[in-house]
Amino acid sequence: MIHTSELEAHERASALSRTSMIHIQDVYKSYGPRSKPKLVLDNVDLSIAPGELVTLVGPSGCGKSTLLKLVLGQELPDSGKLLIEANPAGLADKRRGIVFQQYSLYPHLSVIDNVALGKRLSLPLWQRIAERKQIREEAMFQLRNLGLEEAIGKLPHELSGGMRQRVAVAQSLIMSPKIILMDEPFGALDPGSREHTQIFLLELWEKYKMTVIFVTHDLEEAVFLGTRLVILSQYYSDDRDDDCRRGSRVIQDIALSSRALSTEVKSSPEFNAMIDHVREIGFKPKHRLHVKDFNLSHPNSFRTLPE
């Protein structure tokens, strides 16, 4: 017998699955031998609307990168539902682009050739040859939009860290993805370059209204960039036995500003209070919220946790 609350949660999840860009429902993921697997993700529920910029934070080892790999289609969940535009996500395809902290640039290729490479390799040989000029024009268009027009002939080692990261973004954009996944993309930048690149990302997002999942360990960056903040954590409690295998869950899912902010907001009391709150709730092993006390206040948040 299904309880009323469970039925309502199921109906809400079903409704969200039809309108979301990304819909993750009751997803589990583990690694290791079948006899004693390590559970990484445990009953993860997350539904992301088109055009949201979601920042994802959590303690080391909580499975942030694992979740990105599932959304990308690089790996498959053990169980649960993972949809892209209401259809099974399946394996990686051009709808999903990814930007890593380590720049995915070939050192022997110029900037424009690095950007064009993905598009070229996605085509059969005859089409690659026939559309060579068009692909180069598309790469030039992306580089011009990202302020890299003067760097097209340079090699990656001739660029600053921030410029190399822009080239990596251009590599994703030329494939016209609907979703961009970013895994600690600014982690290797110095503070000045990092803030400049944050502003660049917000300008880019406002222009293209891409759906973005941005993983970061920097809480200031997470609160500044996101329209929505999600905390994934293994530090929580529930009604299961203490020796039960637990993976990470979404313990907080809240709405942030829907517009790009000025960097001046970083010095406001409210901004810093939010950072302190996130650190207290999601990063301290001794501070374990019970699952029934999770802050899932975002309008698209839902939970399939059984009674």
Side-chain angles (χ1 to χ4, degrees):
M1 180 178 178
I2 299 178
H3 294 284
T4 302
S5 58
E6 288 184 55
L7 183 60
E8 289 173 349
H10 197 72
E11 290 175 347
R12 174 166 171 73
S14 180
L16 285 168
S17 72
R18 294 190 291 271
T19 59
S20 297
M21 177 62 73
I22 303 167
H23 184 78
I24 301 165
Q25 182 175 330
D26 196 21
V27 160
Y28 292 77
K29 181 64 179 178
S30 58
Y31 294 102
R34 290 186 178 182
S35 58
K36 196 174 182 180
K38 174 178 173 54
L39 185 61
V40 179
L41 301 178
D42 186 344
N43 180 231
V44 172
D45 296 317
L46 182 62
S47 204
I48 300 173
E52 283 194 288
L53 200 170
V54 178
T55 46
L56 178 64
V57 300
S60 297
C62 72
K64 300 184 294 296
S65 294
T66 296
L67 188 58
L68 278 198
K69 289 177 183 177
L70 296 181
V71 176
L72 180 64
Q74 187 176 348
E75 296 188 12
L76 300 175
D78 297 342
S79 63
K81 187 183 294 185
L82 207 165
L83 308 177
I84 305 290
E85 295 184 300
N87 294 305
L91 298 177
D93 57 39
K94 66 178 183 179
R95 294 176 299 173
R96 292 162 276 185
I98 188 159
V99 180
F100 296 104
Q101 178 178 335
Q102 298 300 321
Y103 319 111
S104 52
L105 306 182
Y106 290 93
H108 63 288
L109 294 181
S110 67
V111 164
I112 193 166
D113 287 336
N114 263 293
V115 173
L117 185 63
K119 192 70 175 281
R120 287 174 180 159
L121 294 180
S122 70
L123 301 174
L125 181 60
W126 67 268
Q127 195 173 356
R128 227 180 284 174
I129 296 171
E131 298 183 11
R132 185 171 182 174
K133 182 179 179 180
Q134 180 183 335
I135 294 171
R136 187 175 178 86
E137 289 174 352
E138 288 181 36
M140 189 67 204
F141 173 78
Q142 295 298 343
L143 291 168
R144 189 181 297 116
N145 278 346
L146 301 183
L148 293 167
E149 186 173 6
E150 296 181 2
I152 61 170
K154 293 184 178 181
L155 296 175
H157 76 270
E158 299 177 283
L159 307 178
S160 67
M163 292 176 73
R164 287 197 294 270
Q165 199 55 273
R166 289 191 184 203
V167 177
V169 171
Q171 284 181 316
S172 289
L173 290 180
I174 197 172
M175 304 303 294
S176 302
K178 295 185 176 181
I179 298 165
I180 288 192
L181 308 169
M182 309 187 84
D183 194 358
E184 300 277 7
F186 307 153
L189 302 181
D190 63 80
S193 296
R194 187 167 191 153
E195 187 166 80
H196 182 73
T197 311
Q198 289 169 359
I199 296 296
F200 153 73
L201 175 62
L202 289 175
E203 291 172 347
L204 193 67
W205 172 75
E206 286 202 324
K207 182 174 183 178
Y208 290 102
K209 281 295 184 282
M210 305 167 293
T211 304
V212 180
I213 302 180
F214 188 103
V215 169
T216 179
H217 70 276
D218 187 309
L219 299 187
E220 178 187 272
E221 183 169 71
V223 176
F224 177 68
L225 286 178
T227 62
R228 179 178 182 180
L229 177 67
V230 173
I231 303 177
L232 187 70
S233 180
Q234 65 272 50
Y235 303 139
Y236 63 89
S237 65
D238 53 31
D239 296 331
R240 293 178 290 182
D241 295 336
D242 290 340
D243 60 352
C244 175
R245 293 186 306 122
R246 288 180 177 84
S248 294
R249 282 185 167 142
V250 174
I251 69 166
Q252 182 148 325
D253 183 3
I254 59 173
L256 299 173
S257 172
S258 60
R259 299 182 64 186
L261 300 172
S262 163
T263 55
E264 293 179 3
V265 75
K266 294 182 179 182
S267 60
S268 72
E270 296 81 7
F271 184 89
N272 287 284
M274 173 61 76
I275 292 173
D276 291 341
H277 170 75
V278 172
R279 184 178 291 109
E280 182 71 22
I281 293 296
F283 288 79
K284 294 189 176 180
K286 292 182 179 180
H287 191 142
R288 295 176 183 259
L289 287 176
H290 190 277
V291 289
K292 294 179 181 178
D293 297 322
F294 290 172
N295 180 359
L296 305 178
S297 58
H298 190 277
N300 287 344
S301 187
F302 71 102
R303 183 165 64 186
T304 59
L305 181 71
E307 293 291 340

